[in-house]
Amino acid sequence: MREKMLFLSAQSRYPEDLEGEIRTENFLDILLERFDIDLLEYCHCRREPAVESGPALTVHQVKRSSASQRSLLHPLNKLRSHSPLIGTDKSLRAEITEMCRLNTYSHVFISYYMLSNCLDIVASMLPEAVIITDAHRFGSRMLENRAAGKRGISKSYHKLNAALIRRDERRLMNKTSLLLTATEWDALSFKALSFADAGKVHVIPPYIDLKEPAYASVETVIKEKSIVLHWNMNTGQGKNVALLFLKKIYPLVKAEVPDFRCYMISDKVHPEVAALARNDASIEIVREFEHTADYIRRASAVVASLREGCGGQIKILEAWALRTPVVCSLSGSEELICETGRDILLADTSAVFAGQLVKLLTMPELGSIIADQAYRTLLKHYAAEGVREKVLSLV
């Protein structure tokens, strides 16, 4: 008989958190292989359900009221920088309490958006349950990085906030049975906080299902002299990244390789970005996502996000699966296992970034070598079957 799991999730308010939502959906998909799941989804009044009920999945929703989305005073210590109010909604707390009272759950999965007060409720209501928490994008390392570039009161504020969140991280480790992180670096950061609980920490990276039709083709494709930009270019972060590329990097590449093409793949494009693209005949905006794999497979290079918040990691893995080399910023690749010059090309300035693209556009043999090594890295660390087996072996 299949065991029953309570899965606590939330829809993000932020389009930039695409990777986080994909990660949560992937966990749900894997765990449905073993458990009958009650999914409690905390969502906004204007958002549709992310998933639908099925034979092994029952979806419960708690609508987030407009009143709960506002706060007169933002607390100094935010367990989640993007969701400081999650867990304080009375209707959410009441629903979790009622579900725990009425059902026998052997396991509880708490997505990273729900780690605030939800963990305390579940731990008190289901003391015998195996509690699995996803610590993707927990806050202390990010706040420490922010504090490094500040001065005066601002620096003290960020350092204090980081210290308070480290305290909450230790508390999280103590109360959870299994703590999952997205990267080795995050896992080591948690383990260093509490050696007694270090055995609970495991890395579950993002993954690509190579059996999907887009990736399953083994047909050899002749590379074109083109590059692909693939992220949401209508969000604030996505727009800024696209403008940075078009203004600072693209002209440098075009000066060296005047006959190449640039495909910008995004269903929505900010007007400022679209205006720049219209002024150059070599740039084409592609809004038909069903052809994305074809554009990437034929391209000489994929430009991954230059900054965080544009789904950079998953876009890199998609390019690797389609055997196309990637050029990325240092920060955009830091969560992946990769080495510049081996399975990816990295750059920290506009000039270097442009130079890496020029290499791939003019030296197809280099791109082929990097793409082949990147595919092997994908098979070893980020293929769906291996990640699924690891998750199921842990729970």
Side-chain angles (χ1 to χ4, degrees), residues 199-235:
K200 301 176 181 179
V201 182
H202 297 272
V203 180
I204 303 297
Y207 66 82
I208 290 289
D209 189 350
L210 295 173
K211 294 180 181 178
E212 292 185 10
Y215 310 122
S217 175
V218 295
E219 179 183 355
T220 301
V221 176
I222 297 176
K223 294 292 187 180
E224 300 176 351
K225 196 176 289 187
S226 66
I227 63 174
V228 168
L229 282 64
H230 183 203
W231 60 78
N232 185 344
M233 299 181 196
N234 196 44
T235 65

Side-chain angles (χ1 to χ4, degrees), residues 27-43:
F27 275 126
L28 181 62
D29 181 58
I30 293 172
L31 294 170
L32 279 170
E33 296 182 18
R34 178 168 297 177
F35 298 94
D36 291 328
I37 294 178
D38 281 341
L39 168 62
L40 178 57
E41 189 175 55
Y42 189 48
C43 59

Side-chain angles (χ1 to χ4, degrees), residues 77-291:
N77 176 25
K78 296 178 181 179
L79 184 61
R80 279 286 171 197
S81 61
H82 287 328
S83 55
L85 300 178
I86 284 182
T88 62
D89 191 321
K90 290 183 179 179
S91 59
L92 174 63
R93 295 173 62 86
E95 184 71 17
I96 295 174
T97 301
E98 185 68 6
M99 292 181 70
C100 291
R101 187 180 67 83
L102 294 177
N103 297 279
T104 302
Y105 297 112
S106 62
H107 294 69
V108 180
F109 183 96
I110 306 177
S111 68
Y112 73 99
Y113 259 117
M114 301 285 277
L115 281 176
S116 186
N117 294 341
C118 298
L119 179 60
D120 293 330
I121 299 170
V122 171
S124 62
M125 294 291 296
L126 301 171
E128 302 300 322
V130 175
I131 298 177
I132 306 164
T133 55
D134 178 27
H136 174 59
R137 286 189 183 166
F138 217 93
S140 64
R141 184 158 67 95
M142 176 183 67
L143 288 170
E144 287 172 351
N145 291 337
R146 286 181 181 177
K150 304 293 182 179
R151 294 182 179 180
I153 296 177
S154 179
K155 184 179 184 70
S156 300
Y157 169 86
H158 286 292
K159 290 181 67 175
L160 175 59
N161 209 357
L164 291 171
I165 291 183
R166 283 197 299 272
R167 179 199 64 186
D168 289 328
E169 288 174 337
R170 286 190 289 269
R171 175 174 162 273
L172 168 63
M173 293 181 70
N174 182 257
K175 289 198 172 188
T176 193
S177 308
L178 181 63
L179 189 147
L180 307 178
T181 69
T183 70
E184 292 285 352
W185 179 264
D186 287 340
L188 290 173
S189 297
F190 272 101
K191 290 178 179 180
L193 291 172
S194 173
F195 293 108
D197 295 316
K200 301 176 181 179
V201 182
H202 297 272
V203 180
I204 303 297
Y207 66 82
I208 290 289
D209 189 350
L210 295 173
K211 294 180 181 178
E212 292 185 10
Y215 310 122
S217 175
V218 295
E219 179 183 355
T220 301
V221 176
I222 297 176
K223 294 292 187 180
E224 300 176 351
K225 196 176 289 187
S226 66
I227 63 174
V228 168
L229 282 64
H230 183 203
W231 60 78
N232 185 344
M233 299 181 196
N234 196 44
T235 65
Q237 190 73 288
K239 177 200 74 171
N240 292 336
V241 171
L243 291 176
L244 172 64
F245 179 83
L246 292 177
K247 291 179 179 180
K248 296 292 185 68
I249 300 173
Y250 190 78
L252 298 176
V253 180
K254 196 169 183 180
E256 297 291 332
V257 191
D259 58 339
F260 85 105
R261 298 281 298 171
C262 175
Y263 297 101
M264 304 174 65
I265 302 176
S266 179
D267 59 341
K268 295 181 180 180
V269 178
H270 192 276
E272 290 184 45
V273 178
L276 280 179
R278 283 195 298 269
N279 292 331
D280 194 319
S282 64
I283 301 174
E284 180 179 341
I285 296 175
V286 180
R287 293 183 171 88
E288 300 174 357
F289 272 22
E290 62 267 25
H291 301 305

Side-chain angles (χ1 to χ4, degrees), residues 55-70:
L57 177 65
T58 303
V59 179
H60 307 262
Q61 278 198 324
V62 174
K63 296 288 187 179
R64 186 174 184 177
S65 65
S66 57
S68 69
Q69 296 180 42
R70 298 191 299 268

